């Protein structure tokens, strides 16, 4: 039986499969239909200091092989999460990573500090790449200096693994991957959604109330695999591959490109139980290719020179 | 509420009700325990080239046989994909989901108001009402006779149905609210209202309930992406008593049925 | 009957529909199955000074709602095009735009000069955004200074409309749109393909012989519409919207976002006769919305503030 | 070559030949004029969720009825989508495309070598050969009897067929090249070779032709995206007499049939 354990900084995951932020709520929402122990770690919906009501509807629209969303980071806020949600989550056998948001560098640090003091939080994913908020978010993730500032601040505020989540809306992802590594990140999540716009031609209004949104789903997979491959060659810390994963074969592309773990996002909405299918597919593949450990597959792409 | 499950289920029976309407029956022990007003997220198991499933109300159930059926109006790719399922083919079914209707008190009379596919949940609701010997009547309205495809199915179930059409091609001519108010005027005892259909209709019924101080529940149908409370795509504006201002709440988990006085209308 | 004529610099097009570079050969290839007069203009496959044999196969692979390609700019070279191909093209009732490539700024200028002297070339699209060549291409299109240099050089070399074609693989497309406008461009093509990577998990090799490739097709449409919208607000010169157009409704999204004309690329492969369908759809829409001229629709998006 | 056309055509007849093989007949006046070795690019007209069409050889034509048929092996999404067409449904058909086989001279004998779906074009080819009274024989090889699904169809057309299978479950045991070389040894007059099938088979036949200085044509099947010469996805390495080195040439327009001596093998 091939080994699926992977190490993300000081955090060990039973398997390299995570539920992506904003696509599994706080974990508890899906616990009655999904066995959370089939998921290596769940990443919470983005959390600020205070609760947010998010954007107006429509917030999600389908596009070819994809999903465009502008939720606007509706959430309960870090304190309510720690007090009300975390106790329920502790009952489940999975790791919990908090997706940290902020409108200022200080807010990122403060959210991180509170999350770190709580019992049952195992890592921090730093969301510097949300395209659907008016302040912060993607602004931090598309400027290497700001990226470095935010990640350094979070680094100082916690002992937990720090995992900045990169925006794909940049010319050269390796610049941002290095900025994160320099700032003391333990791993990198690659990637968040692509900034997109869909228009209702009858009303001539954007199909999303917010206007633009973030594109996710199978449509973006080739772009996310490319960025994972570039980032993995640029830094030594582990890369978590994200983007359009809908099958074990999709996940394998990311591992071969250099990802140490992967996250499933959009597919949680239509296939909440996809994790057991992917795990079975990984085991079948590793066995057939005589690989004893998923870690032996990471970054083994044979790229033509 | 009965626990939800995510399963691949066989579609065993398909009846066309003319136009874009059809009745589909699925095998699912879990969903067959659904309560009136609950729904399921459904997509074909193969060639599901759409990113999301689509939500459909549970129209009726057969717990003994472990089956449930939906009343479907094909309006776009997602509903058409489900409508095009051939008998014996499978679909991914997630359900039963959401909060259904609150049963009326023993001394209350239930007035159900339905239109379009929104009449679907009342078939299942009428079963429990009959079981509890609650006196009920359904007011079923549509643009024209062709827009009342479920009448026979409902009457089969022994429901008392009052029909109305905007063009008078069947039942009373005019809006469904006319026969409803008339019946409410005639009503001596306590009444309770339940509405499911186009938003303007539900809003009108909510206003009537407010004027007459009658308790009223409405079943909203915002865009839904997951049915689990995770995508936050289905939020509706709800004013809770204690709270300072209305908040965005996921209709899939806190609804789709809401107390009409809590709903902030015209925002979805 | 609503008017469909549009003006791109000094170039007037019968309708605002063009066949995108690299997806219609030199026009002559499709002339026997497509009535070229249904296409406002055809843009040639990219042309260098000399002929090129291109990349090894596989050169194209399908991805969800998309196509990943690395052709490597196989082509006959500008002189052979002018001498052998152009005479055949002149027989057809459409406008011809040459897609100008170069490994150096001088080569861009030289190809432009030769194309401009030829009879039957109506415009130059400057390809500074091809992701599938080892030198030049995208390197020019992801650096605003280089972009300005190349476009200026082409500007000096020709009196024909100069239409730089932007790469979407940048953080801020408006920076490049302005660089092109400053350099004297008459219009902007928006956009070329997105850099992607697809991996064959069995061999662990990229599915394309070249390695990475350019992603096109419906999958990228929301991203291309967003960039078209951004570019149109940043400059005064006309924008030509490109990316995933597969229907009249798709084309309308680009016009409403701010495009003066559009190009169809990938869909030429599966739907070579899509132009008459799109034109019919545009006329139906304009009539229904009581618009006398397609130009009245351009940029009429009602964006929430 | 007859002019190509891009049309929506009805699929009128579907015969399963067992396993993943089937015969499909389409209505298309244009393609019904195809010459042996030509092909068409096909995808279903609705729900074509694949970006590209797929190429299929014209197996046979009925110019009078304006119909043509293809012999299809479903191996992936694109071929399966075409194979799943129901009678009466429509497909987008672009064709006839490419350069077919060069007819042999009056004094030549035609040796056809086919395997897998590559045997398809020889059904149509044999018609013209019979018409021109050319003496011909088809050598049809496969891994096992199950891999020779077209035998009956071919014999129906009065073709002289020599069968062989790697496992000996039908015809001669071993590679198709064994009976071929035997026949060539026995042959007194002039011969001409035509091969279509798996590349190793075609390469082997090309070698035999080279040794014996027999003219030989092969029909290559690279990945094809458009069939028009525009995507340049289908290029094969061809060494033209005049030219200094082999060049990438689109197989869809300059082929799929090539003089075997011009083909640089093992590059596709
Ligand atoms: C709780 C609930 C119960 C429902 N019950 C039924 C039912 O019993 N029978 C029935 O026929 N229909 C029912 N619907 C509506 C049904 O889900 C939509 O008609 C269907 O999702 C439309 O998708 P489409 O792809 O066919 O159409 P699209 O082309 O996607 O959309 C057509 C229209 O429907 C709206 N729509 C699309 N997707 C959704 C969605 N996921 N949720 C809500 N609206 C959407 C779009 O905004 C658009 O206006 C219900 C919806 C909800 C929320
Ligand atoms: C000139 C020509 C004539 C052909 N004639 C026939 C025929 O008569 N009957 C028949 O059954 N098949 C024929 N084929 C092969 C047929 O086109 C492929 O089997 C089909 O395209 C596979 O696509 P898919 O989506 O089903 O499989 P995929 O899953 O896409 O691919 C399966 C395998 O087929 C290869 N392939 C995929 N697409 C193509 C393509 N467009 N062209 C070539 N190879 C491809 C892939 O590289 C892969 O190895 C012909 C191919 C060519 C080029
Ligand atoms: C509806 C929705 C909400 C999301 N919310 C968040 C979020 O709160 N924080 C975050 O970092 N990423 C968020 N994402 C991005 C996903 O975590 C993921 O990076 C992206 O969807 C790409 O993965 P996928 O293609 O598998 O969906 C969201 C995505 C979707 C579709
Ligand atoms: C096979 C292929 C070859 C292409 N070759 C070129 C080229 O030579 N020059 C160029 O500027 N763009 C080239 N492109 C990009 C297209 O012109 C177009 O910008 C892109 O495909 C996006 O449009 P689409 O989504 O409609 O295909 C090519 C695209 C494809 C798919
Ligand atoms: S449908 Fe996703 S949260 Fe309600
Ligand atoms: S298949 Fe497109 S060039 Fe040959």
């Amino acid at each position: 039986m091939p080994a699926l354990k992977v190490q993300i900084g000081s955090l060990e995951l039973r398997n390299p499969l995570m539920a992506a932020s904003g696509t599994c709520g706080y974990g508890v929402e899906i616990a009655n239909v999904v066995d959370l122990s089939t998921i290596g770690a769940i990443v919470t919906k983005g959390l600020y200091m205070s609760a947010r009501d998010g954007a107006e509807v429509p917030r999600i629209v389908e596009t070819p092989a994809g999903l465009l969303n502008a939720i606007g980071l509706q959430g309960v806020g870090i304190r309510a999460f720690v007090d009300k949600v975390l106790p329920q989550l502790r009952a489940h056998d999975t790791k919990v990573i908090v997706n940290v948001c902020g409108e200022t560098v200080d807010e990122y640090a403060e959210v991180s500090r509170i999350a770190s003091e709580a019992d049952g939080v195992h890592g921090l994913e730093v969301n510097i790449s949300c395209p659907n908020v008016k302040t912060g978010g993607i602004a931090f993730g598309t400027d290497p200096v700001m990226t470095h500032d935010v990640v350094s601040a979070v680094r100082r505020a916690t002992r937990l693994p720090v995992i900045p989540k990169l925006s794909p809306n940049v010319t050269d992802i390796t610049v941002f991957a290095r900025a994160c590594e320099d700032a003391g990140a333990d791993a990198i999540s690659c990637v968040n959604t692509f900034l997109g716009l869909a228009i209702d031609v009858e009303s001539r209004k954007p199909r999303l109330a917010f206007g633009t949104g973030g594109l996710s789903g199978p449509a973006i997979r080739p772009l996310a695999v490319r960025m994972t491959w570039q980032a993995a060659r640029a830094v030594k810390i582990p890369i978590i591959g994200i983007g359009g994963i809908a099958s074990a074969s999709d996940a394998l592309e990311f591992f071969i490109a250099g990802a140490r773990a992967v996250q499933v996002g959009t597919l949680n909405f239509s296939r909440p139980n996809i994790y057991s299918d992917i795990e079975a597919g990984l085991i079948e593949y590793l066995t057939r290719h005589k690989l004893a450990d998923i870690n032996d597959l990471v970054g083994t792409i044979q790229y033509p020179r | 509420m009965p626990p939800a499950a995510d399963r691949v289920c066989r579609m065993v029976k398909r009846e066309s009700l003319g136009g874009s309407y059809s009745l589909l029956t699925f095998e699912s022990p879990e969903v067959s325990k659904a309560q009136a007003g609950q729904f399921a997220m459904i997509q074909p198991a193969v060639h599901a080239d759409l990113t999301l499933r689509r939500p459909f109300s549970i129209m009726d159930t057969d717990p003994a046989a472990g089956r449930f059926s939906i009343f479907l109006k094909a309006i776009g790719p997602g509903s058409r994909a489900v409508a095009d399922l051939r008998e014996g083919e499978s679909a991914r079914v997630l359900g039963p989901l959401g909060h259904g209707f609150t049963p009326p008190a023993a001394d209350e009379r239930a007035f159900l108001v339905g239109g379009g596919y929104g009449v679907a949940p009342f078939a299942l609701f009428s079963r429990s009402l009959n079981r509890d010997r609650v006196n009920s009547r359904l007011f079923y309205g549509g643009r024209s006779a062709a827009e009342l495809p479920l009448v026979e199915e409902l009457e089969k179930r022994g429901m008392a149905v009052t029909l109305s059409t905007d063009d008078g091609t069947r039942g009373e001519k005019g809006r469904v609210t006319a026969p409803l108010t008339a019946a409410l005027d005639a009503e001596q005892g306590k009444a309770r209202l339940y509405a499911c259909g186009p938003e303007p209709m539900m809003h009108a019924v909510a206003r009537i309930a407010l004027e007459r101080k009658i308790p009223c529940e409405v079943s909203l149908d915002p865009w839904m992406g997951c049915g689990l409370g995770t995508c936050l795509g289905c939020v509706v504006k709800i004013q809770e008593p204690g709270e300072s201002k209305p908040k965005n709440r996921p209709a899939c988990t806190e609804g789709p049925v809401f107390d009409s006085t809590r709903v902030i209308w015209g925002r979805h």
Side-chain angles (χ1 to χ4, degrees), chain B residues 9-48:
Chain B
C9 304
R10 270 180 63 236
M11 195 282 282
V12 291
K13 192 146 174 294
R14 188 174 183 301
E15 300 155 77
S16 171
L17 297 182
S20 50
Y21 293 97
S22 53
L23 274 182
L24 301 179
T25 303
F26 295 84
E27 286 176 341
S28 167
E30 292 87 359
V31 182
S32 75
K33 309 210 169 21
Q35 293 176 12
Q38 289 194 288
F39 66 97
M41 299 291 296
I42 304 178
Q43 78 179 171
V46 291
H47 302 120

Short mmCIF file of all heavy atoms in Angstrom, two decimals, chain B residues 9-48:
data_model
loop_
_atom_site.label_atom_id
_atom_site.label_comp_id
_atom_site.label_asym_id
_atom_site.label_seq_id
_atom_site.Cartn_x
_atom_site.Cartn_y
_atom_site.Cartn_z
N CYS B 9 -27.87 7.74 -8.04
CA CYS B 9 -29.19 7.09 -8.00
C CYS B 9 -29.72 6.83 -9.40
O CYS B 9 -29.49 7.63 -10.31
CB CYS B 9 -30.18 7.99 -7.26
SG CYS B 9 -29.66 8.45 -5.62
N ARG B 10 -30.47 5.74 -9.55
CA ARG B 10 -31.07 5.42 -10.85
C ARG B 10 -32.36 6.21 -11.02
O ARG B 10 -33.14 6.36 -10.08
CB ARG B 10 -31.35 3.93 -10.98
CG ARG B 10 -30.17 3.16 -11.58
CD ARG B 10 -30.45 1.69 -11.69
NE ARG B 10 -31.55 1.38 -12.61
CZ ARG B 10 -32.63 0.67 -12.26
NH1 ARG B 10 -32.76 0.20 -11.04
NH2 ARG B 10 -33.56 0.41 -13.15
N MET B 11 -32.58 6.74 -12.23
CA MET B 11 -33.86 7.37 -12.55
C MET B 11 -34.70 6.25 -13.15
O MET B 11 -34.33 5.66 -14.16
CB MET B 11 -33.65 8.51 -13.55
CG MET B 11 -34.83 9.45 -13.69
SD MET B 11 -36.15 8.79 -14.71
CE MET B 11 -35.43 9.07 -16.33
N VAL B 12 -35.83 5.93 -12.50
CA VAL B 12 -36.56 4.72 -12.89
C VAL B 12 -37.83 5.01 -13.69
O VAL B 12 -38.33 4.13 -14.39
CB VAL B 12 -36.94 3.89 -11.64
CG1 VAL B 12 -35.67 3.28 -11.02
CG2 VAL B 12 -37.67 4.76 -10.61
N LYS B 13 -38.36 6.24 -13.57
CA LYS B 13 -39.62 6.51 -14.27
C LYS B 13 -39.65 7.95 -14.76
O LYS B 13 -39.30 8.87 -14.05
CB LYS B 13 -40.81 6.25 -13.32
CG LYS B 13 -42.16 6.22 -14.00
CD LYS B 13 -43.09 5.21 -13.31
CE LYS B 13 -44.51 5.25 -13.87
NZ LYS B 13 -45.16 6.56 -13.56
N ARG B 14 -40.07 8.09 -16.01
CA ARG B 14 -40.09 9.41 -16.64
C ARG B 14 -41.44 9.62 -17.32
O ARG B 14 -41.82 8.85 -18.19
CB ARG B 14 -38.98 9.45 -17.69
CG ARG B 14 -38.72 10.78 -18.30
CD ARG B 14 -37.50 10.71 -19.22
NE ARG B 14 -37.19 12.00 -19.76
CZ ARG B 14 -38.06 12.69 -20.49
NH1 ARG B 14 -39.22 12.18 -20.78
NH2 ARG B 14 -37.75 13.89 -20.94
N GLU B 15 -42.20 10.62 -16.88
CA GLU B 15 -43.48 10.92 -17.52
C GLU B 15 -43.43 12.35 -18.04
O GLU B 15 -43.10 13.26 -17.29
CB GLU B 15 -44.63 10.80 -16.51
CG GLU B 15 -44.79 9.43 -15.88
CD GLU B 15 -45.49 9.52 -14.53
OE1 GLU B 15 -46.72 9.68 -14.51
OE2 GLU B 15 -44.78 9.46 -13.51
N SER B 16 -43.76 12.53 -19.31
CA SER B 16 -43.84 13.88 -19.84
C SER B 16 -45.21 14.47 -19.51
O SER B 16 -46.23 13.79 -19.62
CB SER B 16 -43.64 13.86 -21.36
OG SER B 16 -43.94 15.15 -21.88
N LEU B 17 -45.24 15.70 -19.05
CA LEU B 17 -46.52 16.36 -18.74
C LEU B 17 -46.81 17.43 -19.78
O LEU B 17 -47.55 18.38 -19.54
CB LEU B 17 -46.47 16.98 -17.34
CG LEU B 17 -46.29 16.00 -16.18
CD1 LEU B 17 -46.30 16.73 -14.86
CD2 LEU B 17 -47.38 14.93 -16.20
N GLY B 18 -46.19 17.29 -20.96
CA GLY B 18 -46.44 18.25 -22.04
C GLY B 18 -45.56 19.47 -21.88
O GLY B 18 -45.09 19.79 -20.79
N GLY B 19 -45.32 20.13 -23.00
CA GLY B 19 -44.46 21.31 -23.00
C GLY B 19 -43.09 20.96 -22.45
O GLY B 19 -42.53 19.90 -22.76
N SER B 20 -42.56 21.79 -21.58
CA SER B 20 -41.22 21.53 -21.03
C SER B 20 -41.31 20.85 -19.67
O SER B 20 -40.33 20.78 -18.94
CB SER B 20 -40.47 22.85 -20.91
OG SER B 20 -41.27 23.80 -20.24
N TYR B 21 -42.53 20.38 -19.31
CA TYR B 21 -42.73 19.78 -17.99
C TYR B 21 -42.62 18.27 -18.00
O TYR B 21 -43.04 17.61 -18.95
CB TYR B 21 -44.11 20.16 -17.44
CG TYR B 21 -44.28 21.62 -17.14
CD1 TYR B 21 -44.88 22.48 -18.06
CD2 TYR B 21 -43.82 22.16 -15.94
CE1 TYR B 21 -45.04 23.84 -17.78
CE2 TYR B 21 -43.98 23.51 -15.65
CZ TYR B 21 -44.58 24.34 -16.58
OH TYR B 21 -44.72 25.68 -16.31
N SER B 22 -42.00 17.72 -16.95
CA SER B 22 -41.97 16.26 -16.82
C SER B 22 -41.88 15.86 -15.35
O SER B 22 -41.54 16.67 -14.49
CB SER B 22 -40.78 15.69 -17.60
OG SER B 22 -39.58 16.32 -17.21
N LEU B 23 -42.24 14.61 -15.09
CA LEU B 23 -42.15 14.01 -13.75
C LEU B 23 -41.07 12.95 -13.79
O LEU B 23 -41.11 12.05 -14.63
CB LEU B 23 -43.48 13.34 -13.37
CG LEU B 23 -44.59 14.16 -12.74
CD1 LEU B 23 -45.77 13.23 -12.41
CD2 LEU B 23 -44.10 14.84 -11.47
N LEU B 24 -40.09 13.02 -12.89
CA LEU B 24 -39.03 12.02 -12.85
C LEU B 24 -39.01 11.35 -11.49
O LEU B 24 -39.09 12.03 -10.46
CB LEU B 24 -37.68 12.68 -13.12
CG LEU B 24 -37.48 13.42 -14.43
CD1 LEU B 24 -36.07 14.01 -14.49
CD2 LEU B 24 -37.71 12.49 -15.62
N THR B 25 -38.91 10.01 -11.49
CA THR B 25 -38.83 9.27 -10.23
C THR B 25 -37.45 8.63 -10.10
O THR B 25 -36.94 8.03 -11.04
CB THR B 25 -39.92 8.18 -10.18
OG1 THR B 25 -41.19 8.80 -10.33
CG2 THR B 25 -39.86 7.41 -8.87
N PHE B 26 -36.84 8.83 -8.92
CA PHE B 26 -35.49 8.32 -8.66
C PHE B 26 -35.52 7.32 -7.50
O PHE B 26 -36.38 7.40 -6.63
CB PHE B 26 -34.55 9.46 -8.27
CG PHE B 26 -34.30 10.46 -9.35
CD1 PHE B 26 -35.19 11.51 -9.55
CD2 PHE B 26 -33.18 10.38 -10.16
CE1 PHE B 26 -34.95 12.45 -10.54
CE2 PHE B 26 -32.94 11.31 -11.15
CZ PHE B 26 -33.83 12.35 -11.34
N GLU B 27 -34.55 6.40 -7.50
CA GLU B 27 -34.35 5.49 -6.37
C GLU B 27 -33.40 6.15 -5.37
O GLU B 27 -32.27 6.49 -5.75
CB GLU B 27 -33.73 4.18 -6.85
CG GLU B 27 -34.70 3.28 -7.58
CD GLU B 27 -34.01 2.03 -8.11
OE1 GLU B 27 -32.76 2.04 -8.22
OE2 GLU B 27 -34.72 1.06 -8.42
N SER B 28 -33.87 6.37 -4.15
CA SER B 28 -33.00 6.92 -3.11
C SER B 28 -33.65 6.77 -1.74
O SER B 28 -34.54 7.53 -1.37
CB SER B 28 -32.72 8.40 -3.34
OG SER B 28 -32.13 8.96 -2.18
N PRO B 29 -33.23 5.74 -0.98
CA PRO B 29 -33.79 5.53 0.35
C PRO B 29 -33.72 6.80 1.19
O PRO B 29 -34.70 7.17 1.86
CB PRO B 29 -32.89 4.44 0.94
CG PRO B 29 -32.33 3.72 -0.24
CD PRO B 29 -32.20 4.74 -1.33
N GLU B 30 -32.58 7.52 1.11
CA GLU B 30 -32.43 8.73 1.95
C GLU B 30 -33.45 9.80 1.57
O GLU B 30 -34.18 10.31 2.41
CB GLU B 30 -31.01 9.30 1.82
CG GLU B 30 -29.92 8.41 2.42
CD GLU B 30 -29.41 7.37 1.43
OE1 GLU B 30 -29.91 7.31 0.29
OE2 GLU B 30 -28.50 6.61 1.82
N VAL B 31 -33.49 10.13 0.28
CA VAL B 31 -34.36 11.24 -0.13
C VAL B 31 -35.84 10.86 0.01
O VAL B 31 -36.70 11.71 0.19
CB VAL B 31 -34.04 11.69 -1.56
CG1 VAL B 31 -34.91 12.88 -1.98
CG2 VAL B 31 -32.56 12.06 -1.69
N SER B 32 -36.12 9.55 0.00
CA SER B 32 -37.52 9.12 0.12
C SER B 32 -38.07 9.44 1.51
O SER B 32 -39.26 9.32 1.76
CB SER B 32 -37.65 7.61 -0.15
OG SER B 32 -37.17 6.88 0.97
N LYS B 33 -37.19 9.86 2.43
CA LYS B 33 -37.64 10.24 3.78
C LYS B 33 -37.78 11.75 3.91
O LYS B 33 -37.99 12.27 5.00
CB LYS B 33 -36.65 9.73 4.83
CG LYS B 33 -36.31 8.25 4.67
CD LYS B 33 -35.98 7.55 5.93
CE LYS B 33 -35.93 6.04 5.75
NZ LYS B 33 -35.74 5.59 4.33
N ALA B 34 -37.68 12.46 2.79
CA ALA B 34 -37.72 13.92 2.80
C ALA B 34 -39.02 14.45 3.36
O ALA B 34 -40.06 13.79 3.31
CB ALA B 34 -37.52 14.46 1.38
N GLN B 35 -38.95 15.66 3.91
CA GLN B 35 -40.15 16.35 4.38
C GLN B 35 -40.55 17.41 3.36
O GLN B 35 -39.72 17.89 2.59
CB GLN B 35 -39.88 16.99 5.74
CG GLN B 35 -39.65 15.96 6.83
CD GLN B 35 -39.28 16.59 8.15
OE1 GLN B 35 -39.42 17.80 8.33
NE2 GLN B 35 -38.81 15.76 9.09
N ALA B 36 -41.84 17.76 3.38
CA ALA B 36 -42.37 18.71 2.40
C ALA B 36 -41.62 20.03 2.45
O ALA B 36 -41.45 20.60 3.53
CB ALA B 36 -43.85 18.93 2.63
N GLY B 37 -41.14 20.50 1.29
CA GLY B 37 -40.41 21.75 1.21
C GLY B 37 -38.92 21.56 1.10
O GLY B 37 -38.19 22.50 0.78
N GLN B 38 -38.47 20.31 1.33
CA GLN B 38 -37.05 20.03 1.15
C GLN B 38 -36.76 19.83 -0.34
O GLN B 38 -37.67 19.67 -1.15
CB GLN B 38 -36.65 18.79 1.94
CG GLN B 38 -36.63 19.02 3.44
CD GLN B 38 -35.91 17.88 4.15
OE1 GLN B 38 -36.42 16.76 4.23
NE2 GLN B 38 -34.72 18.16 4.63
N PHE B 39 -35.47 19.81 -0.69
CA PHE B 39 -35.08 19.68 -2.09
C PHE B 39 -33.84 18.81 -2.23
O PHE B 39 -33.26 18.37 -1.22
CB PHE B 39 -34.84 21.05 -2.71
CG PHE B 39 -33.65 21.78 -2.13
CD1 PHE B 39 -32.42 21.75 -2.77
CD2 PHE B 39 -33.77 22.49 -0.94
CE1 PHE B 39 -31.32 22.41 -2.23
CE2 PHE B 39 -32.66 23.16 -0.40
CZ PHE B 39 -31.45 23.12 -1.05
N ALA B 40 -33.44 18.54 -3.46
CA ALA B 40 -32.23 17.76 -3.74
C ALA B 40 -31.44 18.46 -4.84
O ALA B 40 -32.02 19.13 -5.70
CB ALA B 40 -32.60 16.34 -4.17
N MET B 41 -30.12 18.34 -4.80
CA MET B 41 -29.25 18.85 -5.86
C MET B 41 -28.95 17.68 -6.80
O MET B 41 -28.47 16.64 -6.35
CB MET B 41 -27.95 19.40 -5.30
CG MET B 41 -28.10 20.56 -4.32
SD MET B 41 -28.68 22.11 -5.08
CE MET B 41 -27.32 22.51 -6.18
N ILE B 42 -29.23 17.87 -8.09
CA ILE B 42 -29.17 16.75 -9.04
C ILE B 42 -28.41 17.11 -10.31
O ILE B 42 -28.54 18.22 -10.82
CB ILE B 42 -30.60 16.30 -9.41
CG1 ILE B 42 -31.40 15.95 -8.15
CG2 ILE B 42 -30.55 15.11 -10.36
CD1 ILE B 42 -32.84 15.55 -8.41
N GLN B 43 -27.62 16.17 -10.82
CA GLN B 43 -27.02 16.28 -12.15
C GLN B 43 -26.82 14.87 -12.70
O GLN B 43 -26.67 13.92 -11.92
CB GLN B 43 -25.70 17.06 -12.14
CG GLN B 43 -24.50 16.28 -11.65
CD GLN B 43 -23.20 17.07 -11.67
OE1 GLN B 43 -22.22 16.60 -11.14
NE2 GLN B 43 -23.18 18.27 -12.23
N PRO B 44 -26.87 14.69 -14.03
CA PRO B 44 -26.63 13.37 -14.60
C PRO B 44 -25.25 12.85 -14.16
O PRO B 44 -24.32 13.64 -13.97
CB PRO B 44 -26.65 13.62 -16.11
CG PRO B 44 -27.46 14.87 -16.28
CD PRO B 44 -27.16 15.70 -15.07
N ALA B 45 -25.14 11.53 -14.00
CA ALA B 45 -23.88 10.95 -13.51
C ALA B 45 -22.79 10.98 -14.59
O ALA B 45 -21.61 11.15 -14.29
CB ALA B 45 -24.10 9.52 -13.02
N VAL B 46 -23.18 10.83 -15.85
CA VAL B 46 -22.19 10.88 -16.94
C VAL B 46 -22.42 12.10 -17.82
O VAL B 46 -23.52 12.66 -17.86
CB VAL B 46 -22.24 9.60 -17.81
CG1 VAL B 46 -21.73 8.41 -17.01
CG2 VAL B 46 -23.64 9.35 -18.33
N HIS B 47 -21.36 12.49 -18.55
CA HIS B 47 -21.42 13.68 -19.41
C HIS B 47 -22.02 14.87 -18.67
O HIS B 47 -22.83 15.60 -19.24
CB HIS B 47 -22.24 13.44 -20.68
CG HIS B 47 -21.72 12.31 -21.51
ND1 HIS B 47 -22.47 11.21 -21.80
CD2 HIS B 47 -20.53 12.12 -22.09
CE1 HIS B 47 -21.75 10.38 -22.54
NE2 HIS B 47 -20.57 10.92 -22.73
N ALA B 48 -21.70 15.05 -17.40
CA ALA B 48 -22.19 16.24 -16.69
C ALA B 48 -21.22 17.36 -17.00
O ALA B 48 -20.30 17.63 -16.24
CB ALA B 48 -22.25 15.96 -15.20
#
